[in-house]
Amino acid sequence: EVMETGEPKGMEYFYPYEGLDRWFSCMFVKIDDGIVATNLDISERKYAEEERLKNYMLLQQSEDLAEMGSWDYSLQTNTLNWSDGMYRLFNLEKGSPVTPDLYLRYVTKSRLVAANNMLQLLYAGEDNFEETLEIKVDGQVKILHFKAVVVKGTADHPPRVLGVTMDITSTRTAEEKIRQMEAGQQLEI
């Protein structure tokens, strides 16, 4: 095809023969009446991509099972990135733009001060923090627990705040029911 069209072509392929079991990227370029072919071993990249996909799938399953999400805030660019789990917690379409002030739009009035404090800690990016907020999503109140870790920057990686958010509504509801049952039992005694 390269000989006929003169257009360079490339391909990636897995070579499982002769005990190599390696990935290669091959490029073909027509030069006059011949072809130059180059092969580059890309096994490290392919295996890293495979590992990344596996980790991503495990993260998605873990977030779904634990009713949680994860997030990443860049202190350099002031951008917030959410995992799929975060979009589920807030019942937002995956990929919708998000900013830290979004929390203020969802938080209940009783936890507004706590949400503002949390955002100040996030923007400062100096200390790890934990906070519990009540938010209202589609008329339903949820209790979310936030935990954040500050990752100091290096020459290759800018500073960021990494966090997880867990929906603890059912846990809090169960704890309240237990307290009510215990209070009821105390009254009976």
Side-chain angles (χ1 to χ4, degrees):
E1 188 178 329
V2 172
M3 285 300 287
E4 290 173 10
T5 66
E7 294 292 319
K9 296 280 181 184
M11 62 182 277
E12 294 180 355
Y13 63 93
F14 183 68
Y15 189 83
Y17 308 105
E18 302 167 10
L20 287 179
D21 296 331
R22 308 290 290 171
W23 280 93
F24 293 95
S25 174
C26 190
M27 184 63 138
F28 302 98
V29 178
K30 181 179 179 182
I31 297 182
D32 297 325
D33 61 345
I35 285 187
V36 173
T38 59
N39 279 296
L40 178 65
D41 185 342
I42 58 169
S43 301
E44 296 291 325
R45 185 194 78 189
K46 284 294 209 178
Y47 293 137
E49 287 172 358
E50 190 176 288
E51 185 68 18
R52 184 174 179 217
L53 177 63
K54 182 180 88 176
N55 289 336
Y56 176 71
M57 297 302 293
L58 285 171
L59 175 64
Q60 279 189 314
Q61 290 175 346
S62 299
E63 285 185 348
D64 194 35
L65 184 63
E67 295 184 44
M68 65 179 286
S70 55
W71 47 272
D72 174 6
Y73 178 71
S74 170
L75 293 162
Q76 184 177 31
T77 62
N78 297 320
T79 54
L80 179 65
N81 291 305
W82 273 5
S83 69
D84 295 353
M86 287 299 293
Y87 285 103
R88 279 192 301 274
L89 289 174
F90 283 79
N91 199 23
L92 291 173
E93 184 177 332
K94 181 183 170 189
S96 303
V98 292
T99 59
D101 68 333
L102 177 116
Y103 300 125
L104 298 176
R105 287 186 262 151
Y106 284 86
V107 72
T108 60
K109 287 181 181 179
S110 66
R111 298 299 293 160
L112 188 57
V113 171
N116 276 313
N117 291 339
M118 183 179 89
L119 290 183
Q120 292 307 313
L121 290 168
L122 179 66
Y123 292 137
E126 295 171 0
D127 296 313
N128 301 343
F129 63 87
E130 286 189 57
E131 187 59 71
T132 301
L133 300 179
E134 281 184 358
I135 64 167
K136 197 167 195 174
V137 177
D138 297 332
Q140 178 186 3
V141 174
K142 291 183 177 183
I143 303 171
L144 301 181
H145 185 74
F146 292 78
K147 185 170 185 173
V149 175
V150 176
V151 179
K152 300 296 181 192
T154 65
D156 297 330
H157 301 287
R160 28 192 6 94
V161 180
L162 304 177
V164 292
T165 303
M166 181 176 242
D167 185 347
I168 60 170
T169 308
S170 57
T171 304
R172 288 285 173 94
T173 303
E175 289 171 352
E176 183 57 32
K177 284 183 182 178
I178 290 171
R179 275 194 290 274
Q180 289 174 359
M181 287 173 48
E182 288 173 345
Q185 288 175 343
Q186 287 294 329
L187 283 174
E188 286 181 22
I189 291 173

